[in-house]
Amino acid sequence: MGGVFSFLKRYPFVLATVLVAIFAGILAVGPAAEVVPWVLGTFALLMAGRSFVGMVRELRSGSFGVDLLAITAISAAVAVGEYWAALVIVLMLTGGEALEDYAAHRAKKDLTALLSKSPQSASRINADGSVSVVPIDELVPGDEVLVRANEVVPVDGTLTSATGEFDESSLTGESLPVELVRGEEVLSGVVNGSGSVTLIATRAAKDSQYQQIAALVEEAATSKAPMVRLADRFAVPFTLISLLIAGLAWWFSGDPVRFAEVLVVATPCPLIIAAPVAFMAGMSRSARGGAIVKSSATLEKFHRARSIAFDKTGTLTYGQPSLTAVRTTLAQFGAGVSENRLLQLAASAEQTSAHTLAAAVTRGAKDRGISLITPEKSEESTANGVISVIDGHDVWVGKRSFIEEKVGKPLTRTELVPGELAIYVAVDRQHAGALVLKDEVRENSGSTLEVLKHHGIEHFTMLTGDDQATAKHVAAELGIDRVQANCLPADKVAAVHGIKERPVIMVGDGVNDAPVLAAADVGVAMGARGATAASESADVVILRDDISRVAHAVVVGRETVNVALQAIAVGILLSLVFMTIAAFGNLPAIVGAWMQEVVDVVAILWALRASRGKEVVPELKASSWKSPAVTSQPKV
């Protein structure tokens, strides 16, 4: 009973309608029964006026809503003396608004689960070894933080304890605890295990992974469902048909009550309620699967999408290439050259870059026991490479075309096998050699593309900054027939704009992908590694480092819109059935009003089906993806 009163208190117009009904009921059994029509009629017309004001506001904003039918039905019921029926319609409208809010609140509980766990304070270790509990906003990079057993890690940091065990399920969906060792990164939002650990903060709280995800969740949770606009497009024909049926019923029967009886069951709550409930349910389902959809408009675009473009490194591939070979071409420079010396110069230059390939080069040098040198000067050319001065030598590291510009002549392409890529090195304006790396295609990239194709995506494109040969190797393995290599960020934007089969989805992960993610109809960021710029410019953020979540988000979007349309169709169909019955005089107004409530409940329950569904992507290996072999690079 307490829950009912809490519900009514939260929704005052529902409470007011219930109180008016109780008051009128008391009057009806007493000496003041003749006042009941005035009470019910006045209240009903006041509520109709409230809806009229809202309708005018919508018309001024350029949107034709579905309130006209409800206003007409209330007014007609009062005009013919069906006061109780008018009150039921008012209850339907106010209750419908409340049910929409309540159902949406229930549907988005998975979407907002992260927010409830967001840490507000942290235990900072002071210089004297003491521990102070401070608001997480006071933490700065370099602070040492104590995380006690079973606490949520408050900021991103580097583990300083020997080992630590963490539950990453809230971020990655991985159900098993992950064991990390000293020096490894710990992301905020994960839950510490049974022992206390210490870490050094690497980011402020507002820049940490968990707070960024929480902000995305909050943005998604407050998104307004644009499907209401789609429902409004149904409103015009539905309103005309309803008025036509009601008018004909009045014309042939000669009874104005028949007009009111038809319009009572024609009230359009299924159009008002079903679509936004379905969208919130779909966004909740997407979030549970590891994909935060920022706006419900994105789900509708997923429903219509025909093309998808992928970045390669870190998206279709694991994005963690390893150094497999060092090939020198320069006989000597300075005191002579060796593979280790060439790698030392290249890695020393690359240590100033945040690019994934640069990290692989420096990691390869350290794995070989090679110490790095601090550059005297260093500059990064976006999507091309790095220019540094090391031990008095000009060192250029990057793409073949970038190095050719430095040496002033074409370079012989180093031999590669499928899956390999090369970084070229020039020292003192001479081609010094190449570093060969290999980045494996994700095991489930193929099955992801297969699911996307099965669900209506027709055209697949790969855009990458890598050389054409490297790009074609990966594309051939996955059967992608549209490839554009050697792309700068601007080239990717131009390529996406040039895709004719729209809407187009773009999937990327790096900072350099931020412009193209913003330019695409739907930008999807592989945000599990904290690519802030990409995540902020994207419409969807994948929380797990799992390409299959892209297919999950697309399929959920398509299924959600289908469910929303079905809910609208079911509501309209049932209303038409009851209108037909009422037109022949077989459905009294008060009964029709309650039958319309049944229609509303059916539409809402149908819309909530969008929150359920089977797992989208089966555990298939890339080899299961069969598609025509890669062709030469087309015009995109």
Side-chain angles (χ1 to χ4, degrees):
M1 184 62 70
V4 174
F5 283 112
S6 176
F7 179 89
L8 293 174
K9 184 178 179 181
R10 182 175 178 181
Y11 303 107
F13 290 111
V14 177
L15 177 60
T17 306
V18 171
L19 291 177
V20 168
I22 294 172
F23 179 63
I26 294 172
L27 291 177
V29 296
E34 68 276 4
V35 180
V36 171
W38 291 96
V39 172
L40 296 179
T42 301
F43 179 76
L45 291 175
L46 285 174
M47 298 305 294
R50 168 180 170 267
S51 295
F52 180 78
V53 171
M55 184 183 71
V56 171
R57 190 181 298 116
E58 287 187 1
L59 288 172
R60 287 179 174 176
S61 65
S63 173
F64 178 82
V66 291
D67 292 335
L68 178 60
L69 268 178
I71 296 169
T72 306
I74 292 171
S75 303
V78 172
V80 300
E82 294 286 351
Y83 303 107
W84 285 103
L87 187 67
V88 173
I89 299 172
V90 172
L91 180 62
M92 178 193 61
L93 283 176
T94 57
E97 294 170 358
L99 283 173
E100 175 188 350
D101 181 78
Y102 180 74
H105 176 74
R106 290 293 302 271
K108 69 184 181 184
K109 65 180 180 180
D110 295 291
L111 198 64
T112 56
L114 284 171
L115 293 174
S116 63
K117 299 178 182 178
S118 182
Q120 303 299 316
S121 61
S123 300
R124 182 171 61 193
I125 301 176
N126 303 315
D128 60 2
S130 62
V131 177
S132 302
V133 177
V134 297
I136 60 171
D137 291 340
E138 293 186 12
L139 294 178
V140 297
D143 281 350
E144 187 174 10
V145 179
L146 171 67
V147 184
R148 295 183 173 86
N150 303 313
E151 281 187 346
V152 176
V153 175
V155 291
D156 295 351
T158 302
L159 188 65
T160 54
S161 298
T163 60
E165 191 175 79
F166 301 92
D167 176 4
E168 298 184 347
S169 59
S170 62
L171 296 186
T172 67
E174 174 58 57
S175 58
L176 297 177
V178 176
E179 185 172 339
L180 302 178
V181 298
R182 182 182 288 115
E184 291 190 304
E185 183 181 28
V186 183
L187 294 177
S188 59
V190 304
V191 180
N192 186 26
S194 57
S196 297
V197 297
T198 57
L199 54 87
I200 298 296
T202 54
R203 298 183 184 92
K206 64 182 178 64
D207 299 322
S208 292
Q209 175 80 351
Y210 194 77
Q211 295 299 324
Q212 291 175 30
I213 293 173
L216 293 175
V217 171
E218 195 164 26
E219 182 179 349
T222 57
S223 170
K224 182 180 179 181
M227 192 63 177
V228 173
R229 293 195 295 269
L230 179 60
D232 284 345
R233 292 200 290 270
F234 285 93
V236 175
F238 183 66
T239 300
L240 294 177
I241 291 172
S242 301
L243 291 173
L244 177 62
I245 294 174
L248 290 174
W250 185 2
W251 174 270
F252 284 106
S253 68
D255 183 3
V257 174
R258 198 71 59 85
F259 181 81
E261 289 175 343
V262 172
L263 290 187
V264 162
V265 291
T267 47
C269 272
L271 295 180
I272 299 172
I273 299 171
V277 169
F279 270 82
M280 288 307 303
M283 293 169 71
S284 173
R285 179 186 171 196
S286 180
R288 291 199 307 271
I292 295 291
V293 179
K294 296 184 185 180
S295 166
S296 49
T298 300
L299 297 177
E300 190 173 349
K301 290 178 183 178
F302 275 151
H303 184 257
R304 298 182 290 110
R306 297 176 58 199
S307 304
I308 189 166
F310 292 92
D311 177 49
K312 181 184 74 66
T313 305
T315 304
L316 293 172
T317 65
Y318 285 105
Q320 295 179 330
S322 56
L323 182 68
T324 59
V326 179
R327 299 170 182 169
T328 61
T329 58
L330 189 62
Q332 64 178 28
F333 58 89
V337 65
S338 64
E339 288 185 4
N340 284 352
R341 175 61 173 165
L342 178 64
L343 179 56
Q344 181 185 45
L345 291 171
S348 298
E350 291 277 51
Q351 68 181 321
T352 62
S353 172
H355 195 278
T356 303
L357 298 182
V361 172
T362 56
R363 186 168 58 248
K366 291 176 180 178
D367 290 344
R368 297 188 182 200
I370 297 173
S371 59
L372 304 185
I373 304 168
T374 301
E376 297 156 36
K377 185 172 68 172
S378 186
E379 178 184 347
E380 184 168 7
S381 176
T382 304
N384 283 312
V386 176
I387 309 166
S388 294
V389 177
I390 300 171
D391 278 353
H393 298 287
D394 288 332
V395 180
W396 284 41
V397 186
K399 294 180 180 178
R400 185 167 60 91
S401 58
F402 183 60
I403 303 305
E404 286 176 340
E405 177 186 338
K406 182 63 176 176
V407 301
K409 62 181 180 180
L411 302 183
T412 302
R413 189 186 301 274
T414 192
E415 188 174 339
L416 299 173
V417 300
E420 289 184 341
L421 57 91
I423 297 176
Y424 292 82
V425 185
V427 178
D428 294 335
R429 294 188 177 275
Q430 298 183 67
H431 179 210
L435 310 177
V436 179
L437 301 97
K438 187 168 186 179
D439 186 13
E440 299 288 344
V441 173
R442 292 178 185 268
E443 186 179 8
N444 60 353
S445 287
S447 60
T448 298
L449 269 60
E450 184 176 19
V451 171
L452 289 169
K453 183 177 182 182
H454 177 71
H455 284 274
I457 302 297
E458 302 168 3
H459 304 281
F460 296 83
T461 302
M462 188 172 77
L463 307 174
T464 178
D466 291 340
D467 285 341
Q468 181 76 6
T470 302
K472 288 181 67 175
H473 285 315
V474 174
E477 186 172 344
L478 294 173
I480 297 175
D481 59 359
R482 293 183 175 188
V483 184
Q484 188 157 322
N486 298 304
C487 288
L488 294 172
D491 298 326
K492 291 183 179 181
V493 171
V496 164
H497 281 158
I499 296 176
K500 296 180 180 179
E501 302 84 8
R502 308 192 80 88
V504 59
I505 304 165
M506 176 67 202
V507 187
D509 77 319
V511 174
N512 64 323
D513 289 325
V516 70
L517 293 178
D521 296 311
V522 179
V524 181
M526 299 286 289
R529 301 179 190 179
T532 306
S535 297
E536 288 180 351
S537 62
D539 302 294
V540 181
V541 179
I542 304 300
L543 301 183
R544 310 178 190 175
D545 191 20
D546 181 358
I547 187 68
S548 73
R549 299 300 94 195
V550 175
H552 167 82
V554 172
V555 174
V556 168
R558 289 178 179 264
E559 293 181 352
T560 296
V561 175
N562 288 338
V563 169
L565 292 172
Q566 291 165 9
I568 291 172
V570 167
I572 290 177
L573 180 61
L574 290 175
S575 293
L576 288 173
V577 170
F578 289 132
M579 276 191 282
T580 303
I581 296 173
F584 287 95
N586 297 319
L587 195 64
I590 185 65
V591 177
W594 286 112
M595 294 308 296
Q596 185 60 41
E597 290 283 6
V598 174
V599 174
D600 296 343
V601 173
V602 170
I604 291 171
L605 292 176
W606 194 287
L608 285 172
R609 292 172 60 246
S611 66
R612 302 190 304 272
K614 63 181 180 180
E615 173 62 25
V616 172
V617 182
E619 292 298 327
L620 299 175
K621 294 186 177 180
S623 59
S624 66
W625 167 246
K626 303 296 181 184
S627 187
V630 67
T631 62
S632 59
Q633 176 183 338
K635 293 181 180 179
V636 180

